[in-house]
Amino acid sequence: MGPCVRRDDGSICGDALNTNALQNLHGTIALAGAGKMGGAMLTGWLAGGLDAKRVVVIEPFPSDDIKALAANGVRLNPKDAGTADTLVVAVKPQMFREAGPALKQLVGPSTLVVSIMAGTPIAVLEQVCGGMVVRAMPNTPAAIGRGITVAVAAKNVSAAQRATADALLRATGSVEWVDDESLMDAVTAVSGSGPAYVFLLAEELARAGVEAGLPAELATKLARETVAGSGELLHRSEQDSATLRQNVTSPGGTTAAALEVLMGKNGMQPLMIRAIAAATKRSKELAK
């Protein structure tokens, strides 16, 4: 846990502490993979005060945005990157073993290795890369600084290294730490894959609106803004989601009529349980 209890509420305390943590990081930070998630992390680090000259990026197909960051001091694909103090692995999981030999060259005996790859256990990371490993699972709202990441550290990771990993991960949103790596499969199913479920809700809400007679453009806008606004209300409110739902629901009203369907025997609860179970199972399969 970080030094602030409420670290995801946009408080000055949380932002200032994370900025200071990034500015105080020592040594070379190597980022392997600068796609959407890796690029979002890199942008967050630099915005938080991390010295660009201490960042090495390994990315065979850099975007124009990444190339622009290189012009500001980030070392992009150097011929000899040397050993990094911290290596953040953001390559696609299916490419990891192929990239392993190149990644291993960046890792010394005391290098902190932070992985954000889904379905890749600590033991595999230690085998392929070496180093002191932290396994993390972020999600796509990290691209706008509103992600949530769950992390677990190997037993040989020091308190200082864990603090470094926390500072790097917190640049894209909030961070939670767990001690049991087996929880990461369910974490992947809930928060890692979760944004897709929310987008599907907006998609189907719009589709249902069209079926009810709304023009497609209006239905899409209503669904999009309703999902986004409700998410922001949930984010800012101290009330839990059940209470917020109840606050919207008048007895015998239109919302109650819809919820009778959504909360019925074959409604959202059993469907979501099955969906999360399927994603959790698949995460375990990918780890083998």
Side-chain angles (χ1 to χ4, degrees):
M1 299 290 287
C4 282
V5 175
R6 291 291 302 277
R7 58 195 177 283
D8 61 345
D9 58 358
S11 64
I12 295 175
C13 172
D15 290 348
L17 284 170
N18 193 55
T19 296
N20 290 339
L22 287 169
Q23 290 176 344
N24 293 334
L25 291 184
H26 300 292
T28 301
I29 312 293
L31 173 64
K36 291 183 179 179
M37 190 63 72
M41 294 184 72
L42 176 58
T43 299
W45 298 343
L46 299 178
L50 183 64
D51 184 356
K53 295 178 181 178
R54 293 200 292 103
V55 180
V56 171
V57 175
I58 309 299
E59 172 53 61
F61 305 104
S63 66
D64 290 340
D65 289 340
I66 298 301
K67 292 177 181 177
L69 293 177
N72 293 326
V74 170
R75 287 182 286 159
L76 178 60
N77 297 324
K79 291 183 179 180
D80 183 13
T83 300
D85 293 272
T86 301
L87 168 65
V88 178
V89 183
V91 301
K92 296 183 185 301
Q94 59 268 32
M95 301 295 295
F96 174 55
R97 288 190 179 275
E98 180 182 336
L103 297 178
K104 200 174 184 68
Q105 294 179 12
L106 300 168
V107 179
S110 61
T111 297
L112 169 65
V113 176
V114 181
S115 166
I116 62 169
M117 296 183 297
T120 308
I122 288 174
V124 172
L125 290 158
E126 290 175 334
Q127 176 189 13
V128 175
C129 288
M132 315 299 181
V133 176
V134 168
R135 176 185 175 186
M137 185 70 246
N139 61 6
T140 55
I144 59 169
R146 284 288 303 276
I148 183 165
T149 299
V150 177
V152 59
K155 293 181 179 179
N156 60 354
V157 173
S158 69
Q161 288 177 320
R162 177 166 160 152
T164 295
D166 188 85
L168 293 171
L169 295 170
R170 198 173 296 282
T172 57
S174 60
V175 179
E176 297 291 336
W177 288 85
V178 297
D179 296 322
D180 183 356
E181 187 182 5
S182 68
L183 296 177
M184 296 300 286
D185 296 310
V187 165
T188 301
V190 173
S191 61
S193 301
Y197 316 152
V198 177
F199 301 147
L200 177 61
L201 172 61
E203 183 182 348
E204 294 304 328
L205 187 58
R207 198 189 315 274
V210 171
E211 288 291 326
L214 291 174
E217 185 176 352
L218 177 59
T220 298
K221 184 174 182 61
L222 291 177
R224 185 185 184 104
E225 295 302 321
T226 297
V227 170
S230 299
E232 186 62 24
L233 176 59
L234 182 61
H235 175 70
R236 295 188 187 189
S237 177
E238 294 184 356
Q239 296 178 319
D240 60 27
S241 55
T243 300
L244 292 171
R245 169 179 56 78
Q246 291 162 3
N247 290 344
V248 182
T249 310
S250 300
T254 58
T255 305
L259 289 177
E260 281 187 29
V261 177
L262 293 174
M263 300 176 70
K265 182 179 179 181
N266 297 314
M268 185 173 288
Q269 185 181 76
L271 188 63
M272 188 58 71
I273 290 173
R274 283 165 43 208
I276 297 301
T280 302
K281 178 183 177 183
R282 184 56 181 156
S283 179
K284 291 178 180 178
E285 291 171 350
L286 291 172
K288 293 180 181 178

